[in-house]
């Protein structure tokens, strides 16, 4: 049940947080995933019961759904939505927004942070990047003092895994 966001901004960014999670799990574990879209979350979960699918990555709260078979194991939901503020190892970072002035901050174009920084902390230099990976690469290269952005897409989601 992996539906893309209608306004997907960059081609190199996974279309949903579930796709991104599957990509991360695949990279870390060596597993591979074959996407099988279903019309509803319940239909996707039922596919696990009938062994048509091995795993369902669910966006949204699946805890209120009636599970169609007793053999399912559901992971705890994980939450996102916090701000990522990352700098080089061993370098102290500001503890609040007042310490942002004078810093070179890498931020993703289209995220709310470039406009917020321009309006509230105009002395911070914003280096626009196409995605968070590029923002973090600028920090690694020493071009930016820190990267700032949302820890996930701006749509409110709760995700869990049903196996």
């Amino acid at each position: 049940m992996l539906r893309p966001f209608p306004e997907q901004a960059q081609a190199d960014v996974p279309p949903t947080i579930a796709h991104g999670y599957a990509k991360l799990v695949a990279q870390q574990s060596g597993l591979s995933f074959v996407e099988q879209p279903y019309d509803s979350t319940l239909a996707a979960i039922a596919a696990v019961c009938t062994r048509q699918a091995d795993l369902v990555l669910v966006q949204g709260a699946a805890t209120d759904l009636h599970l169609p078979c007793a053999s399912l194991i559901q992971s705890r939901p994980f939450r996102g939505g916090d701000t990522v503020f990352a700098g080089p190892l061993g370098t102290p970072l500001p503890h609040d927004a007042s310490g942002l002035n004078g810093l070179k901050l890498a931020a993703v174009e289209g995220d709310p942070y470039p406009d917020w920084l321009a309006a509230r902390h105009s002395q911070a230099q914003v280096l626009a990047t196409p995605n968070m990976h590029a923002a973090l690469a600028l920090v690694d290269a020493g071009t930016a003092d820190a990267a700032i952005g949302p820890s996930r897409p701006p749509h409110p989601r709760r995700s869990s895994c049903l196996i």
Side-chain angles (χ1 to χ4, degrees):
M1 183 66 191
L2 306 175
R3 303 229 181 261
F5 293 129
E7 67 282 346
Q8 183 178 346
Q10 281 99 25
D12 62 337
V13 176
T16 68
I17 195 168
H19 282 90
Y21 184 68
K23 182 179 177 181
L24 178 65
V25 170
Q27 290 170 343
Q28 298 289 322
S29 69
L31 295 173
S32 62
F33 294 92
V34 176
E35 181 179 346
Q36 293 180 282
Y38 290 90
D39 291 332
S40 69
T41 300
L42 193 55
I45 294 169
V48 174
C49 294
T50 60
R51 300 206 178 275
Q52 295 173 349
D54 298 314
L55 171 75
V56 178
L57 298 174
V58 177
Q59 287 183 238
T63 55
D64 57 348
L65 290 175
H66 170 72
L67 298 179
C69 61
S71 61
L72 289 178
I73 300 170
Q74 183 175 357
S75 70
R76 290 185 334 254
F78 59 92
R79 291 168 171 63
D82 296 329
T83 298
V84 172
F85 189 63
L89 287 175
T91 302
L93 295 172
H95 292 285
D96 59 39
S98 66
L100 298 177
N101 289 336
L103 294 180
K104 289 182 188 174
L105 300 172
V108 178
E109 290 177 302
D111 280 351
Y113 291 93
D115 290 340
W116 176 77
L117 288 164
R120 304 272 174 117
H121 301 281
S122 58
Q123 293 177 345
Q125 181 183 351
V126 178
L127 306 173
T129 63
N131 56 51
M132 195 55 160
H133 295 288
L136 293 170
L138 289 180
V139 174
D140 283 340
T143 306
D145 297 312
I148 188 169
S151 65
R152 62 178 182 76
H155 304 283
R157 304 277 184 203
R158 281 183 29 176
S159 298
S160 63
C161 175
L162 294 162
I163 53 175

